[in-house]
Amino acid sequence: MSTLSWNCRGLGDPRTVREVLDMASRKKPDFIFLMETKVARDHAERLRVKLGFQGLFYVDNRGRSGGLALFWRTNDTVRLLSYSRNYVDVEVRVDGLAPWRMTGFYGFPDFGDREESWNLLRRLRFRSMLPWVVLGDFNDLLFQYEKRGRCRHPESLLRGFGEALEDCGLIQIPMIGYQFTWEKGEGTEDWVEEKLDRVVATDEWRGVVEGARVYNVLTRRSDHSALFLDIRPGEGFRGGSRQFRFEMAWLLDEGCREVVEEAWGGRFAGPDREMWYKVAEVGW
């Protein structure tokens, strides 16, 4: 069982639609949550048909912004609990697991509205007692190291977001891969990267779905990465999507060796976004 979450920044571009289809083909998620779809429902319905999924719940965009879409592969696995322009909240029932709750969340992007995002999470907390996981673009940071750029993030916002998660009993699930999920101004002195997208869950949910892992999936058609939440009931990753493992034998291939040497050749002192693109192209 798995979920793909992505702030796609608009489904009106056919290249974005192709990227969604490509990720779905490679990752084979059971659920897909898309934010900032920016199109009418009929666009999302056509995407559902192309995906071969049976279910879709759509929150309409307003003008040229907004829009949420939750797709599910198989009927009878989802029951809608509530929704708004900023979230879709569902009960999930899949074979091999007790019922649990999943919320696709899109936080308010403006600094002045962050408290509204935090209070929305607090209100959602008490709408169901099921084990709970929340994923999406929170438009918020928890720590200074979740940002790389010229200006520090306001401490009051770090503290406010952290307190909201604590009040809700939500704990961040560590992310595998590149540690920033959004960037702006690449190649300029104003280049900023931040970890705005994440998956958080209650202890109860982590007890139900032991071994859940979150991967950062770098994308081409948005300034946001996608997140892949992978769950293999009772068996971790055995028999499922395999983790990336570098094979020394690949270096015997001249083209592969050139890619790896260029990516890991020390151009950057810290983690490099392009390196992760190239590693993904080589073997993940």
Side-chain angles (χ1 to χ4, degrees):
M1 209 293 303
S2 57
T3 301
L4 187 71
S5 169
W6 188 29
N7 183 336
C8 64
R9 299 303 300 273
L11 288 174
D13 188 336
R15 292 171 295 181
T16 303
V17 173
R18 287 198 296 271
E19 187 156 17
V20 173
L21 294 171
D22 178 62
M23 285 191 287
S25 175
R26 289 186 290 114
K27 301 298 183 185
K28 296 179 171 49
D30 298 278
F31 305 94
I32 298 176
F33 176 59
L34 299 179
M35 296 152 280
E36 286 288 341
T37 54
K38 302 182 182 183
V39 293
R41 179 190 170 87
D42 59 332
H43 284 76
E45 179 60 27
R46 288 196 290 271
L47 177 56
R48 181 194 67 79
V49 173
K50 291 178 180 179
L51 287 166
F53 279 29
Q54 295 181 356
L56 164 66
F57 183 80
Y58 194 72
V59 179
D60 289 327
N61 61 303
R62 292 189 180 181
R64 296 185 177 182
S65 64
L68 305 176
L70 178 66
F71 304 85
W72 54 94
R73 186 177 296 275
T74 307
N75 281 333
D76 302 322
T77 57
V78 167
R79 181 173 72 88
L80 181 68
L81 298 176
S82 63
Y83 70 93
S84 77
R85 290 184 62 197
N86 294 88
Y87 75 90
V88 178
D89 191 25
V90 297
E91 178 182 338
V92 177
R93 291 179 177 269
V94 294
D95 291 341
L97 293 175
W100 47 277
R101 176 189 180 199
M102 178 172 68
T103 303
F105 192 82
Y106 179 54
F108 292 91
D110 295 333
F111 275 8
D113 296 329
R114 297 295 170 82
E115 189 169 357
E116 193 169 348
S117 288
W118 307 334
N119 289 334
L120 175 57
L121 279 173
R122 291 184 175 103
R123 290 194 298 272
L124 287 170
R125 172 68 181 93
F126 296 103
R127 293 188 181 179
S128 171
M129 293 297 105
L130 288 171
W132 191 26
V133 62
V134 188
L135 72 169
D137 175 8
F138 289 78
N139 274 309
D140 250 323
L141 304 179
L142 282 171
F143 307 101
Q144 289 294 351
Y145 61 73
E146 293 183 343
K147 176 175 182 176
R148 184 162 68 180
R150 298 180 66 181
C151 300
R152 288 173 61 84
H153 198 71
E155 290 290 339
S156 60
L157 297 183
L158 299 177
R159 184 169 56 253
F161 184 35
E163 289 174 351
L165 294 184
E166 185 176 352
D167 290 345
C168 295
L170 293 168
I171 302 170
Q172 182 168 218
I173 300 178
M175 186 173 66
I176 300 169
Y178 196 66
Q179 288 302 298
F180 302 105
T181 68
W182 172 84
E183 64 88 19
K184 182 179 180 181
E186 181 177 359
T188 72
E189 63 180 12
D190 296 320
W191 187 12
V192 175
E193 295 182 286
E194 297 181 336
K195 183 180 179 180
L196 300 181
D197 307 82
R198 67 189 73 236
V199 180
V200 295
T202 60
D203 282 335
E204 292 82 4
W205 186 86
R206 293 165 68 95
V208 169
V209 290
E210 296 180 4
R213 300 197 184 186
V214 177
Y215 289 89
N216 183 350
V217 182
L218 299 179
T219 63
R220 300 289 186 184
R221 301 307 309 167
S222 172
D223 53 5
H224 282 263
S225 300
L227 297 184
F228 183 63
L229 172 62
D230 202 357
I231 300 167
R232 305 295 177 198
E235 52 180 281
F237 279 83
R238 294 191 297 276
S241 300
R242 66 182 179 90
Q243 294 173 261
F244 172 74
R245 292 288 186 270
F246 183 80
E247 298 289 346
M248 292 300 294
W250 293 342
L251 294 181
L252 298 176
D253 181 276
E254 184 176 349
C256 173
R257 186 184 186 93
E258 181 179 330
V259 168
V260 174
E261 287 181 347
E262 181 184 347
W264 289 358
R267 286 192 301 131
F268 293 85
D272 172 39
R273 185 181 182 87
E274 191 64 22
M275 180 195 75
W276 287 101
Y277 276 123
K278 292 177 179 177
V279 168
E281 289 168 356
V282 168
W284 187 50

